[in-house]
């Protein structure tokens, strides 16, 4: 494609298309990139520039782009039944098969699935479920939900409320009542003088302190991501999750593991809770469930919650027109089959995960890099003006944005969350592609350092 088409599309985009999470006045001035082709870990824009998709698009294209098997499965389902709903005593074959498959790959005790159309809807579903769980047992006062600062749980009213993103709370009068936020386990940024292990225990005990403050008899659930993704890939100190699990198992509170990013192989386990050894009652999932080929999410329901909903009976007044859409379910089923047949979970755990971790963590020697961390295929590097003191930049996000722009120019999609650079490539990435990705990341850090010198920031 040539430039005139790019310019024409950009103008139309600017004229009519409001983008998510964007300053829609500024966006046309910067100029959007129009992605026109994608294959494996590579994407191309309408000017023919190639990029490594180091973010699996939005943490979701786990099996890589452009897989014909999914196109075929989707086309076949379209020819059978394009859509019929799941309300009023009807079901469809792909939804049934997918529910069975999810029960098979999930940890023991997860035998039930409720479908949604994405992560935010999964969160809203779990949010209503945990409150209903207690109300059904005659305990409606167990209503309060605890989540964490700088968590991301989606963009719907419940999702944004549960999330700990202040700029989201500021728009639309959030959070809704009955939610509180405790500290996140972000040692590099917030650990002060504590060692990572000490800080992990301290952050976990924030949960116990909040439960005591509010009263256990008022609390429905704790929601948390195994590793916070959108918050900047916050990998908790190793002491954190065992202590949280200990606190939860001593108390009568449901635990919802938000697996929207960590689920479906990202950490070299099917679900992130398995990586950290936690025992959730519900898992909210989406993204990697279909690797983004079509929108679908699922709440995986553990025995404790299922026993109440199935045991007591009564209608749960919740669901969406497109819950269990047959074509989306067919795409998800084929996606999971691919993850299984190509042994992508094991590949991340035993081979490409450790390989990339070794290359990625070597970036820690760069003068701008505070530390370099990776688990499975999700990693981050905080950029810092002062490595030893874990120093922060005067204006949060300025340096991250400079780095992100250099990264794009160099042909790598690497995101900036504030001044943390984050990476989460498809699980199919090869060793050669990892080498290329990390080479570009290093070159990008050098380019960033040069720009910062020119601007007098270092
Ligand atoms: N929970 C988690 C942990 C997520 O990462 C959601 C829920 C909501 O999912 P949906 O499908 O409704 O978007 C997410 C989504 C980013 C970014 O910039 C991250 C997400 C979505 C959009 C942008 O990192 N995560």
């Amino acid at each position: 494609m040539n430039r005139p088409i790019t310019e024409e599309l950009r103008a139309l985009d600017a004229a009519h298309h409001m983008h998510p999470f964007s300053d829609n006045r500024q966006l046309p001035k910067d100029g959007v990139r129009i992605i026109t082709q994608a294959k494996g870990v590579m994407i191309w824009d309408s000017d023919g520039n190639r990029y490594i998709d180091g973010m699996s698009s939005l943490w979701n294209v786990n099996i890589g782009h452009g897989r014909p098997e999914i196109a075929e499965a989707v086309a076949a389902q379209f020819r059978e039944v394009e859509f019929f709903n799941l309300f009023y005593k009807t079901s469809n074959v792909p939804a049934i098969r997918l529910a069975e498959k999810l029960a098979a790959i999930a940890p023991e005790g997860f035998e039930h699935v409720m479908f949604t159309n994405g992560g935010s809807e999964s969160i809203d579903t779990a949010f209503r479920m945990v409150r209903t769980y207690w109300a059904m047992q005659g305990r409606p006062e167990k209503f309060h939900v605890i989540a964490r600062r700088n968590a991301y749980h989606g963009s719907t009213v419940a999702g944004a409320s549960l999330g700990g993103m202040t700029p989201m709370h500021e728009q639309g009068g959030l959070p809704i009542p009955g939610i509180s936020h405790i500290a996140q386990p972000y040692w590099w940024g917030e650990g002060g003088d504590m060692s990572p292990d000490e800080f992990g225990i301290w952050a976990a005990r924030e949960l116990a302190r909040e439960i005591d403050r509010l009263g256990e008899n008022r609390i429905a659930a704790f929601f948390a991501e195994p590793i916070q993704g959108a918050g900047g890939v916050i990998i908790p100190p190793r002491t954190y999750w065992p202590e949280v699990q200990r606190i939860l198992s001593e108390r009568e509170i449901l635990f919802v593991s938000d697996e929207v990013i960590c689920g479906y192989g990202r950490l070299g386990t099917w679900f992130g809770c398995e990586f950290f050894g936690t025992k959730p009652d519900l898992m909210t999932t989406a993204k990697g469930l279909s690797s983004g080929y079509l929108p679908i999410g699922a709440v995986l329901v553990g025995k404790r919650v299922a026993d109440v909903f199935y045991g007591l009976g009564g209608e749960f007044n919740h669901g969406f027109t497109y819950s269990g859409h047959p074509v989306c379910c067919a795409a998800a089923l084929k996606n999971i089959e691919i993850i299984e047949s190509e042994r992508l979970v094991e590949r991340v755990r035993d081979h490409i995960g450790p390989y990339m971790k070794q290359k990625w963590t070597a970036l820690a020697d760069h003068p701008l890099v505070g530390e370099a961390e990776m688990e499975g295929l999700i990693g981050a590097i905080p950029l810092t003006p002062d490595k030893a003191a874990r120093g922060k930049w005067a204006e949060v996000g300025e340096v991250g944005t400079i780095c992100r722009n250099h990264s794009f120019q160099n042909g790598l999609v690497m995101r900036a969350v504030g001044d943390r650079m984050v990476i989460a490539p498809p699980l199919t990435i090869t060793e050669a592609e990892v080498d290329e990705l990390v080479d570009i990341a290093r070159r990008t850090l050098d380019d960033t350092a040069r720009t910062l010198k020119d601007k007098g920031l270092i």
Side-chain angles (χ1 to χ4, degrees):
M1 275 198 212
N2 53 24
R3 271 217 62 98
I5 289 180
T6 299
E7 292 315 327
E8 188 189 329
L9 289 170
R10 276 193 182 143
L12 289 170
D13 193 71
H16 303 295
H17 185 196
M18 272 182 102
H19 285 248
F21 278 91
S22 302
D23 176 342
N24 280 285
R25 187 169 82 138
Q26 183 58 33
L27 195 61
K29 297 178 193 144
D30 300 340
V32 292
R33 270 179 207 86
I34 300 163
I35 304 306
T36 50
Q37 261 186 295
K39 187 80 194 162
V41 303
M42 302 298 176
I43 58 169
W44 287 263
D45 69 17
S46 52
D47 292 331
N49 299 308
R50 193 202 76 162
Y51 309 86
I52 299 180
D53 182 6
M55 284 302 297
S56 307
S57 187
L58 218 47
W59 325 84
N60 58 340
V61 186
N62 288 8
I63 61 167
H65 295 279
R67 307 286 303 242
E69 306 95 308
I70 306 265
E72 280 149 25
V74 163
Q77 184 55 43
F78 265 126
R79 285 188 212 104
E80 292 273 329
V81 183
E82 86 299 336
F83 178 71
F84 199 81
N85 74 78
L86 296 182
F87 289 47
Y88 317 124
K89 301 186 185 173
T90 53
S91 200
N92 71 59
V93 177
I96 295 168
R97 293 263 178 250
L98 181 59
E100 176 201 26
K101 175 59 86 181
L102 293 177
I105 63 171
E108 210 189 316
F110 282 86
E111 292 294 334
H112 298 89
V113 177
M114 193 168 203
F115 290 115
T116 70
N117 302 294
S120 300
E121 286 185 5
S122 291
I123 285 286
D124 275 51
T125 301
F127 185 73
R128 295 192 66 205
M129 242 180 207
V130 296
R131 287 180 167 179
T132 307
Y133 168 88
W134 294 111
M136 283 170 81
Q137 299 174 87
R139 304 179 68 183
E141 71 287 354
K142 275 179 84 66
F143 183 78
H144 197 94
V145 175
I146 301 173
R148 301 177 302 175
R149 291 194 278 280
N150 195 37
Y152 189 79
H153 296 299
S155 206
T156 49
V157 169
S161 294
L162 281 170
M165 306 280 179
T166 337
M168 291 179 79
H169 292 167
E170 282 161 5
Q171 295 174 328
L174 305 180
I176 54 174
I179 293 173
S180 55
H181 298 91
I182 59 170
Q184 58 172 334
Y186 179 23
W187 174 77
W188 192 88
E190 299 173 3
D193 295 335
M194 283 184 253
S195 70
D197 283 358
E198 286 165 354
F199 179 71
I201 298 285
W202 176 86
R205 292 194 182 156
E206 283 288 278
L207 175 61
R209 284 186 281 275
E210 184 67 358
I211 295 169
D212 291 346
R213 189 179 74 80
L214 292 159
E216 188 180 332
N217 60 343
R218 291 182 51 215
I219 299 169
F222 174 54
F223 278 61
E225 307 154 75
I227 289 175
Q228 292 150 256
V233 182
I234 309 300
I235 301 175
R238 61 185 178 165
T239 51
Y240 180 76
W241 278 119
E243 182 66 3
V244 168
Q245 185 57 56
R246 187 190 65 75
I247 290 164
L248 287 168
S249 42
E250 288 173 356
R251 289 166 176 83
E252 219 190 358
I253 288 165
L254 295 174
F255 172 40
V256 181
S257 188
D258 185 351
E259 301 274 350
V260 169
I261 286 179
C262 294
Y264 307 108
R266 175 68 44 204
L267 299 182
T269 46
W270 274 104
F271 297 94
C273 60
E274 297 169 291
F275 183 84
F276 289 111
T278 57
K279 303 277 174 223
D281 299 298
L282 294 171
M283 293 196 282
T284 48
T285 78
K287 293 197 191 274
L289 168 56
S290 64
S291 286
Y293 280 73
L294 282 172
I296 183 167
V299 178
L300 276 54
V301 182
K303 185 173 180 337
R304 184 175 173 191
V305 176
D307 280 354
V308 166
F309 278 80
Y310 282 79
L312 294 181
E315 198 163 316
F316 181 36
N317 300 309
H318 181 86
F320 309 100
T321 299
Y322 298 121
S323 302
H325 191 296
V327 180
C328 301
C329 287
L333 203 49
K334 182 55 75 180
N335 170 62
I336 301 228
E337 277 173 31
I338 290 173
I339 297 177
E340 280 184 322
S341 65
E342 296 180 9
R343 299 181 58 79
L344 294 181
V345 178
E346 295 81 358
R347 186 173 185 273
V348 171
R349 186 189 63 203
D350 300 331
H351 170 59
I352 202 69
Y355 183 82
M356 182 154 180
K357 181 175 187 161
Q358 192 202 346
K359 300 270 164 179
W360 180 259
T361 52
L363 294 171
D365 68 7
H366 195 279
L368 278 183
V369 171
E371 64 173 356
E373 288 184 294
M374 172 156 275
E375 292 298 352
L377 281 181
I378 185 167
I381 44 181
L383 304 178
T384 179
D386 183 347
K387 230 189 231 288
R390 311 207 302 273
K392 313 263 169 51
W393 305 94
E395 194 184 320
V396 177
E398 185 185 9
V399 174
T401 306
I402 292 170
C403 186
R404 199 237 355 246
N405 292 342
H406 277 302
S407 185
F408 259 106
Q409 277 156 17
N410 291 332
L412 169 64
V413 182
M414 176 164 67
R415 279 266 315 284
V417 178
D419 296 311
R420 289 176 71 79
M421 306 310 298
V422 299
I423 204 89
L427 314 185
T428 50
I429 192 168
T430 63
E431 286 188 12
E433 287 162 343
V434 166
D435 293 349
E436 191 183 347
L437 186 159
V438 177
D439 284 349
I440 299 178
R442 186 172 284 278
R443 192 158 16 105
T444 296
L445 291 166
D446 292 340
D447 292 347
T448 305
R450 259 193 302 279
T451 303
L452 296 183
K453 278 204 186 88
D454 292 347
K455 286 177 169 272
L457 286 167
I458 52 173

